[in-house]
Amino acid sequence: MTRSPATLAETIRLHLADDITAGRIAPGSVIDESALAERFGASRTPAREALRELASAGLVVIEPRRGARVASVTLEQLAEMFELMAETEAMCARLSTFRMTATERFALQSLHADFTADETALDAYDEYNRGFHALLYRGTHNSVLAEHAMALRLRLAPYRRAQFHEDRRIQRSFAEHGAILEQVLRGAGEEAAQLMRAHMLTASAALAQYMRRARS
């Protein structure tokens, strides 16, 4: 079956993001659009779309008439972004605890209960993870906060995905979600916020460890 351009663009984006966060493509390296398309057996359109998405996430810099190159992001900058994300997600967890409807709580509970964490299923867990956090964003019933959280999430998406390469991180992350969910269902907003903050800072530490090891 022939893959659609959108599917190809997503495939290219995910592979390229993994290569960059793991250091297989060094900061400052030029990414040739034609070579990228050829590598994945695609036209230049999905390759160009993948590069635009990576540029939006800050992994790639696209310069007029000079093409694309890998951006330089330090671990210190990533730690600062994750710190902001941790506080934002903690606020979402707290407000969602008090504001989610019964239907929204059931959707969050069902999503978690129906998923089985498998250390080899990175793509499946990444999708589940995005869904879990997105339900909490919507549950705040604060559109400004939800949009802010989603914008930060998109900015950090490749890095949040990369931390799942760490040993047993998928299973630990899933267990952390379970603890957060338990507090949400109990109506314990402050406890849910504290656990969410710790969850995000743990993700930041796992990412830093993975990137140091991958680039050593």
Side-chain angles (χ1 to χ4, degrees), residues 93-134:
R94 182 172 59 252
L95 290 181
S96 290
T97 299
F98 301 128
R99 296 180 177 181
M100 289 180 99
T101 65
T103 300
E104 288 169 337
R105 274 194 200 86
F106 180 75
L108 185 66
Q109 188 175 20
S110 297
L111 175 69
H112 186 74
D114 292 343
F115 188 84
T116 301
D118 184 337
E119 203 66 31
T120 65
L122 190 152
D123 288 343
Y125 190 77
D126 189 38
E127 182 178 357
Y128 152 82
N129 185 55
R130 284 185 277 113
F132 185 91
H133 287 269

Side-chain angles (χ1 to χ4, degrees), residues 136-207:
L136 287 174
Y137 301 163
R138 288 198 292 272
T140 66
H141 292 272
N142 182 317
S143 60
V144 176
L145 176 59
E147 289 172 6
H148 174 64
M150 186 58 71
L152 277 174
R153 177 171 193 84
L154 290 174
R155 177 71 176 82
L156 283 168
Y159 300 103
R160 291 177 71 151
R161 175 183 168 88
Q163 48 120 358
F164 295 132
H165 288 290
E166 273 298 286
D167 184 42
R168 296 186 62 78
R169 179 59 197 147
I170 286 177
Q171 292 174 338
R172 292 190 180 103
S173 174
F174 185 72
E176 290 162 14
H177 280 186
I180 293 166
L181 175 61
E182 181 180 355
Q183 298 307 316
V184 170
L185 296 177
R186 286 183 59 243
E190 292 303 324
E191 288 83 352
Q194 290 174 10
L195 288 173
M196 179 61 81
R197 184 181 295 107
H199 172 61
M200 295 305 303
L201 294 177
T202 300
S204 176
L207 170 66

Side-chain angles (χ1 to χ4, degrees), residues 2-110:
T2 302
R3 291 177 296 178
S4 67
T7 302
L8 279 169
E10 179 73 359
T11 298
I12 295 169
R13 182 185 69 79
L14 290 175
H15 278 82
L16 202 53
D18 286 345
D19 285 345
I20 293 171
T21 54
R24 290 188 288 271
I25 304 177
S29 298
V30 174
I31 302 174
D32 183 83
E33 189 178 287
S34 297
L36 185 63
E38 183 178 352
R39 172 185 171 187
F40 290 93
S43 68
R44 294 180 64 170
T45 299
R48 189 177 301 119
E49 177 60 28
L51 289 173
R52 280 199 296 263
E53 291 179 8
L54 290 172
S56 297
L59 282 179
V60 167
V61 176
I62 299 176
E63 300 173 331
R65 297 180 297 279
R66 298 186 62 182
R69 60 179 174 80
V70 178
S72 296
V73 181
T74 67
L75 289 177
E76 289 75 16
Q77 289 171 321
L78 283 174
E80 290 175 357
M81 287 189 283
F82 265 92
E83 183 178 53
L84 177 59
M85 188 82 254
E87 294 303 320
T88 301
E89 297 255 3
M91 187 183 300
C92 288
R94 182 172 59 252
L95 290 181
S96 290
T97 299
F98 301 128
R99 296 180 177 181
M100 289 180 99
T101 65
T103 300
E104 288 169 337
R105 274 194 200 86
F106 180 75
L108 185 66
Q109 188 175 20
S110 297

